Amino acid sequence: MPEPAISSPRPRVLSGMRPTGKLHLGNYMGALANWVKLQNSAQYECYFFIADWHALTTDYADPSRIAPNTLDVMLDYLAAGLDPARSVLFLQSKVLQHAELYLLLGMITPVGWLERVPSYKDQQKNLSNRDLSNFGFLGYPVLMASDILMYQPQFVPVGNDQTAHVELTREVARRFNQFYKPAAAGKLDGQEVLPEPQVLLTPSPQLPGTDGRKMSKSYGNTILLTDPEPVVRQKLKTMVTDPARIRRTDPGDPDKCPVGDLHKVFSTPETLANVYEGCRSAGIGCIECKSWAADALVQVLEPIQARRAGFSEKLVKEIIEEGSSRARVRAEETMQKVRAAMQMT
Ligand code: TRP
Ligand code: SF4
């Protein structure tokens, strides 16, 4: 077997999350599991980070949760299988070059582009308990563009909710490359300073939470990656089901039931067949059906929780430090090209 060619440059992949606190199964299926796959394919040089400055755009009035949440998220990254020996795992605020690139890209980004980003007005409405008329919140997509363009990734694996941001990143890159050419054109083979990245859409079914709505921290309907088995089983017990199945003798339809949706994602084909058969014929009760779903979830969570137990807080902090120094080296290389192209040397 040939060794993976570590020294020859592989295409890069970059993605990140805000430090929202302990991650849930929706985060895992919607992003993290896919990142682990990309990492383990060994086809890409992988960069995964925690966007703690992004958390400040909405939580500036009370930043007390950001640092503890950062540790929790990094621990979940590691528990899910991201590996500091195979991926660069870093913290945004430890790579100050992101702030510099954000400032420079801010100079060329029309305000109208930012006002048109769909999440801008949506979030202002949804988070109406906070004042989001701050400059940082409007500029959020420019910061995200800096996070991405800093590492010239070919792909940015994200969920659907982030594609508009990556699209804006591409537009900012295009505008940059129109204004500024590489300073050492010969050496760079006429390559653009900030190549446009592509979205790599995470193929993931939307995971229902215990109330049947999309699993989301803000709905309080999540199953956490850290939930112990009894908690998972308890949460499943209270999960909503097909509303047509009122009595045990009423037949139901797994296609109209959030528990059925969980089975579709996590259960074996045999179990799924039993769910369809038993539910539609009222041959099984919801309690039994839910216990099967819990079995499948526990199987997914067990290895994650076992891996998590191997990381102390001290080790997580060391991993963040080490990964961030590696990211800084790459980031500084980019900034030297950017500064030169903008004649800021
Ligand atoms: N905006 C992303 C989120 O809210 C986090 C993020 C920040 C990100 N910068 C990024 C994701 C760069 C991918 C690439 O989850
Ligand atoms: Fe849902 Fe299962 Fe009950 Fe059918 S048997 S309604 S799929 S929980």
Side-chain angles (χ1 to χ4, degrees), residues 36-254:
V36 173
K37 249 188 244 151
L38 288 164
Q39 166 193 274
N40 292 349
S41 79
Q43 291 180 41
Y44 303 100
E45 197 183 307
C46 292
Y47 287 77
F48 299 113
F49 77 106
I50 297 174
D52 56 342
W53 280 335
H54 279 263
L56 274 181
T57 64
T58 51
D59 299 353
Y60 58 85
D62 176 12
S64 61
R65 289 301 311 160
I66 297 178
N69 285 354
T70 294
L71 289 178
D72 276 333
V73 171
M74 188 55 83
L75 199 44
D76 277 330
Y77 279 7
L78 295 163
L82 291 186
D83 175 356
R86 283 186 281 180
S87 296
V88 180
L89 307 177
F90 70 97
L91 181 59
Q92 183 185 37
S93 66
K94 289 197 173 282
V95 186
L96 297 178
Q97 285 84 350
H98 288 232
E100 183 185 0
L101 189 55
Y102 169 58
L103 179 145
L104 294 175
L105 295 181
M107 302 301 167
I108 63 164
T109 307
V111 175
W113 289 9
L114 299 174
E115 287 167 336
R116 275 196 300 275
V117 171
S119 65
Y120 179 61
K121 291 212 168 67
D122 291 357
Q123 287 255 55
Q124 278 195 329
K125 247 180 250 145
N126 292 344
L127 302 176
S128 52
N129 56 330
R130 289 177 238 190
D131 181 358
L132 293 181
S133 57
N134 49 320
F135 169 65
F137 184 68
L138 177 66
Y140 171 117
V142 183
L143 184 54
M144 180 155 163
S146 310
D147 301 335
I148 296 172
L149 297 174
M150 188 69 84
Y151 303 94
Q152 296 97 45
Q154 181 173 5
F155 294 116
V156 184
V158 286
N160 221 339
D161 59 321
Q162 298 294 324
T163 52
H165 293 140
V166 181
E167 197 42 55
L168 186 108
T169 299
R170 290 163 57 87
E171 285 174 286
V172 171
R174 222 171 293 151
R175 198 166 157 87
F176 183 97
N177 295 327
Q178 271 162 13
F179 285 139
Y180 316 113
K181 301 298 170 201
K187 226 166 94 199
L188 283 164
D189 254 352
Q191 249 199 8
E192 287 170 325
V193 180
L194 301 177
E196 284 177 47
Q198 280 169 40
V199 171
L200 188 67
L201 206 55
T202 305
S204 74
Q206 192 165 304
L207 212 64
T210 49
D211 61 358
R213 292 186 289 175
K214 175 187 169 178
M215 189 180 288
S216 160
K217 186 179 177 182
S218 50
Y219 294 149
N221 63 0
T222 61
I223 295 165
L224 298 177
L225 297 183
T226 45
D227 280 343
E229 176 165 352
V231 174
V232 175
R233 294 197 181 274
Q234 188 52 40
K235 284 184 175 176
L236 259 285
K237 273 188 193 135
T238 62
M239 187 151 178
V240 299
T241 56
D242 177 0
R245 256 204 116 175
I246 299 161
R247 279 169 300 252
R248 168 71 179 76
T249 49
D250 295 331
D253 182 356

